[in-house]
Amino acid sequence: MRPLLLASAAVLAFAAASSASAEEGMWTYDNFPIARANQTLGTNIDQAFLDRVRLSSVKFGGCSAGVVSGQGLVMTNNHCVATCVANLSTPQQQYGETGFTPKTREEERKCPGATAEILTDISDVTERMHKAGEGLEGQAFTQAREAEAGRIETEACGNEPKIRCQVVSLYRGGQFKLYKFRKYSDVRLAWAPEDRAATFGGDLDNFSFPRFAIDAAFIRLYEDGKPVETPVHFAWNADKPTEGEAVFITGNPGATQRLLTMDQLATIRDVVLPLDQLIASELRGRLIRYSEEGEDQAFIAMDPIVGVENTYKRGLGRMRALTDAQFIQAKAAAEVDFMQRYAAANGNGPDPWGALEAVQPIARELYAPTALLEGGTGLGTTSVAGGSQLFQWAKAIVRGAQERAKPSDQRLAEFADSRLPGVESGLFAERPTYPELEQIRLEWWLSKTREWLTVDSPYVRTLLGKESPEALSARVVSGTKLADPAVRRALWTGGLATVQASDDPMIQYVLSIDADARAVRTEWENKVKAPTDRASEQLAAARFAAYGDAVYPDATGTLRLTYGKVEGSDVPGQRFGAFTTFAGLWDRATGAEPFKVAPKLMAAKDRIDPNAVMDMAVSTDTIGGSSGSPAVNARGEIIGANFDSTVLTQRNAYGYDRNTNRSVIVTTQAVTVALRDVYGMDHLLTELGVSR
Amino acid sequence: MRPLLLASAAVLAFAAASSASAEEGMWTYDNFPIARANQTLGTNIDQAFLDRVRLSSVKFGGCSAGVVSGQGLVMTNNHCVATCVANLSTPQQQYGETGFTPKTREEERKCPGATAEILTDISDVTERMHKAGEGLEGQAFTQAREAEAGRIETEACGNEPKIRCQVVSLYRGGQFKLYKFRKYSDVRLAWAPEDRAATFGGDLDNFSFPRFAIDAAFIRLYEDGKPVETPVHFAWNADKPTEGEAVFITGNPGATQRLLTMDQLATIRDVVLPLDQLIASELRGRLIRYSEEGEDQAFIAMDPIVGVENTYKRGLGRMRALTDAQFIQAKAAAEVDFMQRYAAANGNGPDPWGALEAVQPIARELYAPTALLEGGTGLGTTSVAGGSQLFQWAKAIVRGAQERAKPSDQRLAEFADSRLPGVESGLFAERPTYPELEQIRLEWWLSKTREWLTVDSPYVRTLLGKESPEALSARVVSGTKLADPAVRRALWTGGLATVQASDDPMIQYVLSIDADARAVRTEWENKVKAPTDRASEQLAAARFAAYGDAVYPDATGTLRLTYGKVEGSDVPGQRFGAFTTFAGLWDRATGAEPFKVAPKLMAAKDRIDPNAVMDMAVSTDTIGGSSGSPAVNARGEIIGANFDSTVLTQRNAYGYDRNTNRSVIVTTQAVTVALRDVYGMDHLLTELGVSR
C-alpha cells in the first residue's frame, strides 16, 4: 500500500542538514564565511573588501542602496523612490510619466520624510539582553527585553540626531547585537527614469525573468544643505557583465522565516497567508476599479496598486512553496536531522519544538484580530487600517502622547526615546494624502475586519458602533485635518491633554478603539510572542551546538552580505538565460500597457546599442527589502542593483533552493545607457567617472 | 521526539470506517435506509412516505423546492428567485426593494428562462454504460460513455418536450441510473418578500446561525397558460417547530467530494481553492467599488455581489476544513481502513489510489487553463469569461452550430439531442444584460487568465492578441448585438454558416478562441478525467465490496433525501440554540445595512407574534443546491425550506461531521406570518389551507 498523502509529504530523508549549503545565506558582516565564498566562487575577497562594501551600503526606507560617488550620490531602484516621486508630483506635473531629470544639483529635490543610513559599528549585547529576560514570562518578559534594548540604544547614542542605535535580535533571540548607523535626514532625488522604463511588463513580468526594466534611480545624501562627502564608495563599472562571474549583494533583506519549525510554517500556510492574500485581492479589485473612474483616480491609485500587487505576488510564491511537497519534504528532513542531534545531546532536556507546537493553536486564533487591530505579529503582511496614512498619523499621535507621558523604559518599544526621532520624521513629513484613497483603504479594512472577526465580536462592536464601514470611513476622512503637517505637529507637541481635547474625528476615532488594540497586543505578546521567543532562543542555542557558526540568522531588515553567480535557470516553469538586452525590449514591446516602451526611451532607440545588457539573473540569496541592493563584483565595483526575483524564488522566505533561486539585477550598463543616451544626465556620468 | 507536523496530521486511527454514521448521507430515493432512519429518529416512515415526498420535490434551476398546493404552488427560497426578480425589475420598479406581491393569479409573472422538474422514474443503466467504455482509454473512453448516455436519454424520452431524461453517474461511476423528469417550462413568480426581509444580516450573517431571515418565495407551475394541477403535494404546517423533532430534507444537493482520495483532496486544497478564492476576491472588490459609483450601479451590482460573496464564503469554509488537522485525520483514518480492507481482499490487484496519485501532478498543472478557458473540471467554482452572460450566449451559439452539424452521439455531451432543449431555453430567455457589468466580468477574467497562465502562454496570446483586457472587453461588449433575443435566435437557427458569417464581435471573438478552448478540454479529458473516472469506478466497486450498500453516493445535483433533527450547536466558534424568533430580529436590528429591517416587515411589527419562530437549525446533511429544499416532518408535512448552513458545515463537501453540521431552515411559521401579517397574501393562505 502507498503511504498517505500527508504522511508522504513528510517522508523522512536524513541527508539534509540545517547548516548552510554553498551560496546559501544572508550573512551578517561580522560572521561572513570569507573562505567558503572564495572557494565556491574562485574569488579572493578579504576583510578590507567587506569593510569597504559595508561602508558603501545604504539603508533607504524599506529598501537598500549603494554610494556610487564621493559626493553622496546613491543608486537604488526606481520603485524605491516611487513614494518620493509621487510626493513630488502633482496631477499637472507627473514625474512618473516624464522621469525626474534635474540637470544640476540645485534642481535635486528633497524626498519628504526620507532618511538614509550607513551601518558603522556592530557590537555584541547578547549577555545583557538575555539577562534582562531571565525568570520572566509572558508580556513581562517581552517588555523587560524591549526596555533593556531601549536603554542600550539610549546609552550608546544619546540624543545625537546624526546617529541611530538599534539592538538587533539575530537567530530569533540567539544573539543580540547593537548596530550603530550614521543617519542622513536630507535625502534628495537626483534622477528617476520614466516609470514605464522602470516597470516595463508591469505586474505581469514582476517576479519573473526575463525582465526588460531599468528599475534604477539616484538619490543624494545632503547635510546642512550640501551634498555629503562620501570618500568610501563603490566604483562604477559600466561594462557588460559576464556569465558565471561572482556577484555579491549587500543590502537589508527584510524578513525570512527559515528557522521556523514545521508547526510554525503550517500556521503561516493555513492561517496567515490565506487571510493576507484573500483580503489583499479584494483591495486590489477595489483599487483597480477606482483607477478606471478617471485620470486623477488612475494617478492616485497607481502607486497603491503596484504595492498591493507586489505584496500579493510575493505571498503567492510563498503559498506555492508551502504546498510544494518536495520543498516541504526537504525542510522536514532538515528538521528531523536537527531534532536527532538535539535529542542525542540533550536527552530529557526541554522540548522547544513541543513548546512551539503548543503555541500554534493560539497563534492561529489570535492572528486575525492582532494583525487587523494592532499589527506587529511579525508573521504576515496585513496592516492595520488598510495602510491609511491619516490613520497611521493619528495612531502615532495618540500613542505617542500616551507613551511619552511615561519613562522611556516603560513605554511600548516603538516609543522609547531612542526611537522617537524616527516616529517624528515620519509624522512631520510633507506628504500628500488623497481622501478618496484613504477612504477606500479604511472602508475595506473595516469591512474585512468585521467579516473575519464576525459581527458579534466585541472588537467589531467597538470598531463600528452602529455605523457601517462606508459611513464611518467617509466621516473620519472627510472631517480630519491631519493632512496638514502643522496640525500633526501641534498635536504631537501639545501632548496628551491636547490630543484628548482634539475634536478631530480621526484622532477621536483612534482614541475610541485604542484600548482594544492594546488588549489584543497584550494577549498576543503574552500568549504567542513571549513563549515563541523563549523557545526560539532555546532552538538557537541548540542550533549553534549542533552546527556551529555555519548557520546564519534569519533576515531581520538589517545589513547582510550574500554571494552567488551570474546565471540563467533551467527548471520547469522557469527557463531562461542570464541576460536580457535592449534588442529584447524592442522585440517584446506590443504598444499596449504594460508592454509599451516609455516615450523618451523609445525616442532614443537609434542611439542605444541593442546588445547592451539591461537585466541579469544571479543565484545570490535575496528577499524583499533587498530592493536596490548593490550587486558588486569581486573587485568591489558596483555592477547593478537588485530589483526583483522570480516567483519560485519566494520560497526563499523558508529556505534557499539553489536550483530555483534567481534574483534579478538591473545592470550598471543599462543605467549608463539610460543616463547617456536617453535622459542626458551628463553631470551624473561625469560624477560616476564614465567617459562619453 | 514529537512526530513531524505533516506526519502528525495523518496519525493513523483505525476506528473510523468509510460507511455512513447515523444521520449521515445524501441518499438516493431508491436506496434510502428507512429502517436506520426510523431507528435513529424514532419515526415510522415507509415507502409510501418516500414516494409522496419525492413527487412533491421540485428541481428549480440550481435550487430545490416543494409543491405546497394542488394548483402548482411551489415554495423555494427568495434567493432562488433572485434572478427572476432581477429580470422582472427595472431601475424604476425594483421588486427586490418592494417585494413582489400579486394579489391574484393573473398578476403572477413568468420567470424568463426558468424551468422546473419533478423526478418521476429511476431505472438502472449501469451495465450498458460500463460496457460502452470497455477497453477504451483517454478521451475515447469519455466520449464513448457520453455518447451512450445521450443514446439512452434519447431512446427513453425522444423529443417529448414535457419530459427530460438524464443518465446520472453515482458513486463516481460505480452506478449509472436513468432519471426521468416531468418538466415545466412556464414558471411564474407568485410571491417574493422584500429582499431585505430575506437577506437580513447579509453576507455577514450568511453561513451563520442565528439567522433572522425570511428567505422564502413562491413560484407556480403553469402549462398551456393555466396552473398545473398537482394532486400530490406537501401539506402546509404553520405550527411552531419542536426542538429535537425529526426533519427530512428533500432536494438536489449540488456536489460533494466525499469519495475523493486524500491525494485528490490535496489538489483541491493546494491548487483549486486558492485559485478560485483569490480571483473571486478580486472580482468582489471590483464589483463593490463599482456598486459605489451610483444608484444604478448599486442595483446592477447587487445580485452579482451576493453571488460572488456566497461562493467565496463557501470556499472559505472548505479551505478551513482541509486545513483542520482533526478533520483531515479522520478522513485519513477512514482511507486507511478502506485501503486495508481492499488490500486484504485484492492482494496484488490494481491500485486505484496509485492511479489517482499519478494523475494529481497533471491535474495541478491543467486546472488553471482548463477552468479559465473551458470550464467543466468538476473541481472548482471559477467560470469561463467571469460568468459574462453575453459570452456564454455567444459560446452556446458557436459551439451549438459546430456540434449540431454532427450526429448526436459524436457531439460534445452537452449538445446531444437530449440536451438541446435545455440549451435553447437558456439561450432564448428574455433576460436583461448590463454592458458595464459584462465588461467588468470579461476584463477581470482576461486579466486573471493572463496573470495565472502568464503573458507568454500561447493560450494568452490567442486570448488577447495585442489588445489589453480593458480594450478587448470594452470592444466586444459595446459591439455585440446578442443582448437581443431575436438576434440570438436568428444565429442559432441560422446554423454554422450564419454564425461564421456574423460580424458580431462577441461571436467572432468566441470563434477565434474556440480551438484553444477545445484543446484544453481534450487534454483535461485525456489526462485527468478519463483516468480519474476509471480509477474511481474501481474504488466504487471496492467500496461496495467492503461496506455493502451502507454507502451513499456523492451529491451530483440530483434528488436526495437526508434526515436529522431540530437542534442547536455547542462547539467552539459555533454556539447557538435551535430557533430564532421575530423578537430576536427586532433586537438585532441596528438601522444600518445589512441590519436594517425591511420597511413593510417593520411596519407590521405590532401585528407579529414576537415568539413566532423565524429560522431553525437542523443536523440534517446538506450542501449547496439544497437551497429551497423542503424540510419535512415525519408526517410528510412541510415545516420549512433550507436556505443556509454554517461556515463550519462547509466541510460537508468532504465529509459529514454531526457535531458541526447545521443546516438553516426558514420555517413555514415565519412564511405564514409574512404572508398574513406583512404582505397581505390572503389568496395564498387560503390555498395553503391556513385559517386566519
Side-chain angles (χ1 to χ4, degrees):
Chain A
M1 299 305 303
R2 303 167 36 262
L4 289 174
L5 152 78
L6 291 166
S8 73
V11 162
L12 311 176
F14 295 96
S18 288
S19 62
S21 57
E23 299 190 26
E24 173 174 357
M26 302 180 186
W27 300 91
T28 50
Y29 270 80
D30 54 352
N31 187 35
F32 186 84
I34 295 179
R36 201 170 77 194
N38 280 332
Q39 197 189 344
T40 306
L41 303 173
T43 54
N44 195 24
I45 65 160
D46 55 16
Q47 185 60 44
F49 172 95
L50 295 189
D51 293 342
R52 219 164 51 238
V53 171
R54 172 170 57 80
L55 290 171
S56 307
S57 301
V58 176
K59 185 170 166 68
F60 174 59
C63 282
S64 303
V67 187
V68 292
S69 86
Q71 294 83 49
L73 191 66
V74 169
M75 178 164 76
T76 186
N77 292 149
N78 183 65
H79 77 261
C80 295
V81 300
T83 304
C84 176
V85 169
N87 286 342
L88 297 178
S89 295
T90 62
Q92 292 71 45
Q93 172 62 68
Q94 300 183 24
Y95 291 117
E97 290 291 311
T98 60
F100 180 78
T101 53
K103 293 301 185 265
T104 64
R105 285 194 197 160
E106 288 64 39
E107 296 169 62
E108 295 174 353
R109 287 183 58 190
K110 185 171 176 172
C111 291
T115 59
E117 299 176 336
I118 293 175
L119 175 62
T120 55
D121 297 283
I122 302 177
S123 57
D124 195 287
V125 293
T126 307
E127 208 181 329
R128 233 182 115 170
M129 286 295 290
H130 280 180
K131 205 160 183 183
E134 256 171 30
L136 299 174
E137 296 290 340
Q139 205 180 22
F141 171 80
T142 306
Q143 282 179 343
R145 300 240 283 210
E146 281 170 353
E148 184 69 5
R151 272 189 296 270
I152 292 170
E153 290 166 0
T154 302
E155 285 167 22
C157 279
N159 288 323
E160 172 54 65
K162 296 182 178 178
I163 301 178
R164 188 172 75 87
C165 280
Q166 181 187 2
V167 171
V168 175
S169 163
L170 298 169
Y171 302 95
R172 304 208 164 260
Q175 282 183 356
F176 288 87
K177 298 281 171 108
L178 174 65
Y179 278 33
K180 208 180 241 189
F181 301 91
R182 181 67 166 85
K183 183 174 149 190
Y184 301 95
S185 304
D186 182 354
V187 176
R188 304 192 189 175
L189 190 61
W191 169 69
E194 297 149 286
D195 223 38
R196 275 191 193 127
T199 63
F200 182 85
D203 178 57
L204 297 159
D205 279 0
N206 192 17
F207 293 113
S208 299
F209 196 77
R211 292 296 309 268
F212 300 88
I214 309 173
D215 193 354
F218 287 108
I219 52 178
R220 193 186 298 278
L221 311 180
Y222 278 74
E223 223 159 38
D224 309 320
K226 288 194 302 256
V228 171
E229 287 189 21
T230 45
V232 182
H233 62 83
F234 294 117
W236 186 262
N237 181 327
D239 298 340
K240 194 188 288 279
T242 313
E243 198 162 345
E245 79 172 300
V247 179
F248 298 83
I249 294 186
T250 174
N252 302 276
T256 55
Q257 297 165 320
R258 295 184 187 177
L259 303 184
L260 298 197
T261 64
M262 298 305 288
D263 287 320
Q264 291 177 292
L265 289 180
T267 298
I268 293 174
R269 181 195 66 189
D270 296 344
V271 177
V272 175
L273 285 171
L275 168 61
D276 292 358
Q277 294 290 99
L278 288 171
I279 71 172
S281 286
E282 189 187 310
L283 177 61
R284 185 183 183 188
R286 291 182 183 226
L287 290 171
I288 287 172
R289 179 69 205 179
Y290 171 69
S291 76
E292 293 174 345
E293 289 170 11
E295 278 184 27
D296 285 0
Q297 287 88 340
F299 167 75
I300 292 168
M302 188 175 61
D303 209 26
I305 288 174
V306 168
V308 75
E309 287 182 338
N310 198 60
T311 305
Y312 167 82
K313 201 180 274 184
R314 200 174 61 188
L316 196 68
R318 293 177 180 205
M319 286 177 80
R320 286 192 182 149
L322 293 181
T323 54
D324 176 332
Q326 221 178 333
F327 180 73
I328 288 297
Q329 273 171 37
K331 288 287 294 180
E335 180 166 86
V336 167
D337 180 79
F338 183 20
M339 281 176 165
Q340 289 181 330
R341 290 174 189 238
Y342 180 78
N346 291 273
N348 288 327
D351 175 10
W353 285 276
L356 289 168
E357 185 192 24
V359 168
Q360 298 321 302
I362 309 163
R364 284 172 177 247
E365 193 187 325
L366 296 184
Y367 176 69
T370 311
L372 288 163
L373 297 177
E374 173 68 8
T377 64
L379 290 183
T381 54
T382 290
S383 63
V384 178
S388 154
Q389 180 65 75
L390 294 167
F391 182 97
Q392 284 169 359
W393 281 329
K395 187 165 172 178
I397 289 167
V398 165
R399 284 270 172 98
Q402 293 165 338
E403 295 298 308
R404 282 178 301 151
K406 308 172 191 169
S408 177
D409 63 1
Q410 288 170 34
R411 297 178 198 157
L412 296 173
E414 64 270 31
F415 293 102
D417 280 339
S418 59
R419 314 273 167 87
L420 287 179
V423 177
E424 290 181 345
S425 98
L427 189 58
F428 301 156
E430 305 229 359
R431 275 190 192 141
T433 53
Y434 302 98
E436 287 186 344
L437 177 63
E438 293 285 310
Q439 202 241 315
I440 287 172
R441 288 185 181 280
L442 276 173
E443 177 189 317
W444 163 76
W445 167 66
L446 289 168
S447 78
K448 293 301 97 183
T449 302
R450 182 173 65 174
E451 179 175 332
W452 283 78
L453 304 189
T454 81
V455 177
D456 297 306
S457 151
Y459 294 135
V460 172
R461 279 196 220 119
T462 305
L463 213 56
L464 283 172
K466 296 223 158 191
E467 279 181 295
S468 67
E470 298 73 22
L472 196 160
S473 55
R475 177 175 64 77
V476 296
V477 170
S478 67
T480 187
K481 300 278 184 294
L482 295 182
D484 179 351
V487 171
R488 300 197 295 274
R489 191 180 283 272
L491 284 162
W492 178 263
T493 49
L496 191 53
T498 309
V499 169
Q500 283 171 337
S502 164
D503 61 359
D504 190 284
M506 190 70 84
I507 293 286
Q508 282 303 320
Y509 183 61
V510 168
L511 278 168
S512 75
I513 63 174
D514 191 61
D516 275 7
R518 285 178 180 262
V520 294
R521 177 172 177 155
T522 300
E523 196 175 5
W524 179 269
E525 290 184 350
N526 271 325
K527 297 183 180 170
V528 180
K529 189 174 183 325
T532 301
D533 286 356
R534 233 183 214 305
S536 304
E537 205 171 298
Q538 289 166 5
L539 279 180
R543 195 174 281 111
F544 286 129
Y547 303 104
D549 63 0
V551 288
Y552 54 90
D554 263 324
T556 52
T558 50
L559 192 64
R560 303 298 174 88
L561 185 63
T562 68
Y563 63 101
K565 289 175 188 167
V566 174
E567 194 172 311
S569 167
D570 195 27
V571 299
Q574 185 181 291
R575 297 183 199 282
F576 47 73
F579 301 119
T580 61
T581 63
F582 282 88
L585 169 67
W586 315 130
D587 190 53
R588 191 169 180 80
T590 65
E593 286 297 2
F595 299 103
K596 201 165 168 178
V597 177
K600 289 179 184 170
L601 180 54
M602 195 69 204
K605 183 176 175 182
D606 292 344
R607 290 191 292 276
I608 295 174
D609 173 6
N611 297 317
V613 169
M614 291 193 84
D615 300 326
M616 63 181 172
V618 303
S619 61
T620 319
D621 195 0
T622 64
I623 194 93
S626 301
S627 278
S629 294
V632 181
N633 66 16
R635 291 189 302 278
E637 298 162 345
I638 192 165
I639 60 171
N642 187 27
F643 75 100
D644 196 11
S645 56
T646 64
V647 75
L648 288 182
T649 301
Q650 302 319 304
R651 59 184 52 181
N652 236 348
Y654 313 118
Y656 175 81
D657 176 352
R658 201 205 179 279
N659 284 331
T660 58
N661 184 89
R662 290 299 178 274
S663 307
V664 181
I665 310 290
V666 54
T667 65
T668 42
Q669 188 180 32
V671 177
T672 305
V673 164
L675 295 174
R676 181 184 59 212
D677 301 330
V678 185
Y679 298 103
M681 302 298 289
D682 296 355
H683 68 292
L684 292 185
L685 289 168
T686 305
E687 186 172 345
L688 293 168
V690 177
S691 55
R692 267 154 293 146
Chain B
M1 300 304 301
R2 303 169 36 263
L4 289 173
L5 152 78
L6 291 166
S8 72
V11 162
L12 310 178
F14 294 97
S18 289
S19 62
S21 57
E23 300 191 25
E24 173 174 358
M26 303 181 186
W27 300 91
T28 51
Y29 270 79
D30 54 353
N31 187 35
F32 186 83
I34 294 180
R36 202 171 75 195
N38 281 330
Q39 198 189 344
T40 306
L41 302 174
T43 53
N44 194 24
I45 65 160
D46 55 16
Q47 185 60 43
F49 172 95
L50 294 189
D51 292 343
R52 221 166 49 238
V53 171
R54 171 171 56 82
L55 290 170
S56 306
S57 300
V58 176
K59 185 171 166 68
F60 174 59
C63 282
S64 302
V67 187
V68 292
S69 86
Q71 294 83 50
L73 190 66
V74 169
M75 179 163 76
T76 186
N77 292 150
N78 183 67
H79 78 259
C80 293
V81 301
T83 304
C84 176
V85 168
N87 287 342
L88 298 178
S89 296
T90 62
Q92 292 70 45
Q93 172 62 67
Q94 299 183 23
Y95 292 117
E97 290 290 311
T98 61
F100 180 76
T101 55
K103 292 301 185 263
T104 65
R105 285 194 197 160
E106 289 63 40
E107 295 168 61
E108 293 173 357
R109 287 183 59 190
K110 186 170 174 172
C111 290
T115 58
E117 298 175 334
I118 294 175
L119 175 61
T120 55
D121 297 282
I122 302 177
S123 56
D124 195 287
V125 294
T126 306
E127 208 180 328
R128 235 182 114 170
M129 287 293 293
H130 280 180
K131 206 159 181 184
E134 255 171 34
L136 300 174
E137 297 288 340
Q139 205 180 23
F141 170 79
T142 306
Q143 282 179 343
R145 299 239 285 209
E146 281 170 352
E148 185 69 5
R151 273 190 295 271
I152 292 170
E153 290 166 359
T154 302
E155 284 167 25
C157 279
N159 287 322
E160 172 54 64
K162 295 182 180 177
I163 301 178
R164 188 172 75 89
C165 280
Q166 182 188 1
V167 171
V168 175
S169 164
L170 298 170
Y171 301 95
R172 304 208 163 257
Q175 282 183 355
F176 288 88
K177 298 282 172 110
L178 174 65
Y179 278 33
K180 207 179 239 187
F181 302 91
R182 180 67 166 84
K183 185 174 148 190
Y184 301 95
S185 303
D186 181 355
V187 176
R188 304 193 189 173
L189 190 62
W191 169 68
E194 297 150 284
D195 225 38
R196 274 191 194 129
T199 62
F200 182 86
D203 178 58
L204 297 159
D205 279 1
N206 193 18
F207 292 112
S208 298
F209 196 78
R211 292 297 307 269
F212 300 87
I214 309 174
D215 192 353
F218 286 108
I219 52 177
R220 192 186 298 279
L221 311 180
Y222 279 74
E223 222 158 39
D224 308 321
K226 290 194 300 259
V228 170
E229 287 188 21
T230 45
V232 182
H233 63 84
F234 293 116
W236 187 263
N237 180 327
D239 297 340
K240 193 188 288 276
T242 313
E243 199 162 345
E245 78 172 303
V247 179
F248 298 84
I249 294 185
T250 174
N252 303 276
T256 55
Q257 297 164 320
R258 295 184 187 176
L259 303 183
L260 299 196
T261 65
M262 298 304 288
D263 286 322
Q264 291 178 292
L265 289 180
T267 298
I268 293 174
R269 181 195 66 190
D270 296 344
V271 177
V272 175
L273 285 172
L275 167 61
D276 292 358
Q277 293 290 98
L278 289 171
I279 71 173
S281 288
E282 188 188 310
L283 177 60
R284 185 183 183 186
R286 290 182 184 226
L287 290 172
I288 287 173
R289 179 68 205 179
Y290 172 69
S291 77
E292 293 174 345
E293 289 170 12
E295 278 184 25
D296 285 0
Q297 288 89 339
F299 167 75
I300 291 167
M302 189 176 60
D303 208 26
I305 288 174
V306 168
V308 74
E309 287 182 339
N310 197 61
T311 306
Y312 166 82
K313 201 181 274 184
R314 200 173 61 190
L316 195 68
R318 294 177 180 205
M319 287 177 80
R320 286 191 182 152
L322 293 180
T323 55
D324 176 332
Q326 221 178 333
F327 180 73
I328 288 297
Q329 273 172 34
K331 288 287 294 179
E335 180 166 84
V336 167
D337 180 78
F338 183 19
M339 282 175 165
Q340 289 180 330
R341 289 174 189 236
Y342 179 80
N346 292 273
N348 288 326
D351 175 9
W353 285 276
L356 289 168
E357 185 191 24
V359 169
Q360 298 321 303
I362 309 163
R364 284 171 177 248
E365 191 186 328
L366 297 184
Y367 176 70
T370 311
L372 289 162
L373 297 177
E374 174 65 9
T377 64
L379 290 183
T381 55
T382 290
S383 64
V384 178
S388 155
Q389 179 66 73
L390 294 166
F391 182 97
Q392 284 169 0
W393 281 330
K395 188 165 173 180
I397 289 167
V398 166
R399 285 272 173 96
Q402 293 165 337
E403 294 298 308
R404 283 178 300 150
K406 308 173 194 168
S408 177
D409 64 0
Q410 289 170 33
R411 296 178 199 156
L412 296 174
E414 64 271 31
F415 293 101
D417 281 338
S418 59
R419 313 273 167 87
L420 287 180
V423 177
E424 291 181 345
S425 97
L427 189 58
F428 301 156
E430 304 230 0
R431 274 189 194 144
T433 53
Y434 302 98
E436 286 185 345
L437 176 64
E438 293 286 309
Q439 202 242 316
I440 287 172
R441 288 186 181 280
L442 276 173
E443 177 188 318
W444 164 75
W445 167 64
L446 289 167
S447 77
K448 292 302 96 181
T449 303
R450 180 173 66 175
E451 180 175 331
W452 283 78
L453 304 189
T454 80
V455 177
D456 297 307
S457 152
Y459 294 134
V460 172
R461 278 195 220 120
T462 305
L463 213 57
L464 283 171
K466 295 224 161 190
E467 280 181 293
S468 67
E470 296 74 23
L472 197 160
S473 56
R475 177 175 64 77
V476 296
V477 170
S478 67
T480 186
K481 300 279 184 291
L482 295 183
D484 180 351
V487 171
R488 301 197 294 273
R489 192 179 283 272
L491 284 162
W492 178 262
T493 50
L496 192 52
T498 309
V499 170
Q500 284 170 337
S502 164
D503 61 358
D504 189 284
M506 190 69 85
I507 293 286
Q508 283 303 319
Y509 183 62
V510 168
L511 278 168
S512 75
I513 64 175
D514 191 61
D516 275 7
R518 284 178 181 263
V520 295
R521 177 171 176 155
T522 300
E523 195 174 6
W524 179 268
E525 290 184 350
N526 271 325
K527 296 183 181 169
V528 181
K529 187 175 185 324
T532 300
D533 286 355
R534 231 181 217 308
S536 304
E537 205 170 297
Q538 289 166 5
L539 279 180
R543 196 174 281 111
F544 287 128
Y547 303 105
D549 63 1
V551 288
Y552 55 90
D554 263 325
T556 53
T558 51
L559 192 64
R560 303 297 175 88
L561 185 63
T562 67
Y563 62 101
K565 290 176 188 165
V566 174
E567 195 172 310
S569 166
D570 195 28
V571 300
Q574 184 181 292
R575 296 183 201 280
F576 47 73
F579 301 119
T580 60
T581 62
F582 282 87
L585 169 67
W586 313 132
D587 190 53
R588 191 169 180 79
T590 65
E593 286 296 3
F595 298 103
K596 202 163 166 177
V597 178
K600 290 179 184 171
L601 180 54
M602 195 70 203
K605 183 175 176 184
D606 292 343
R607 290 192 293 276
I608 295 174
D609 172 6
N611 297 318
V613 169
M614 291 192 85
D615 300 326
M616 63 180 173
V618 302
S619 60
T620 320
D621 194 0
T622 64
I623 195 96
S626 301
S627 278
S629 294
V632 180
N633 66 17
R635 290 187 302 279
E637 298 163 345
I638 191 165
I639 60 170
N642 187 28
F643 76 100
D644 197 11
S645 57
T646 63
V647 75
L648 288 183
T649 301
Q650 302 318 304
R651 59 182 54 182
N652 236 347
Y654 313 118
Y656 176 81
D657 177 351
R658 201 204 179 281
N659 284 332
T660 57
N661 184 91
R662 290 298 178 272
S663 306
V664 181
I665 310 290
V666 52
T667 65
T668 41
Q669 189 181 31
V671 177
T672 305
V673 163
L675 295 175
R676 183 183 58 213
D677 301 330
V678 185
Y679 298 103
M681 302 299 288
D682 295 355
H683 68 292
L684 292 185
L685 289 169
T686 304
E687 186 173 346
L688 294 168
V690 177
S691 55
R692 268 154 290 143

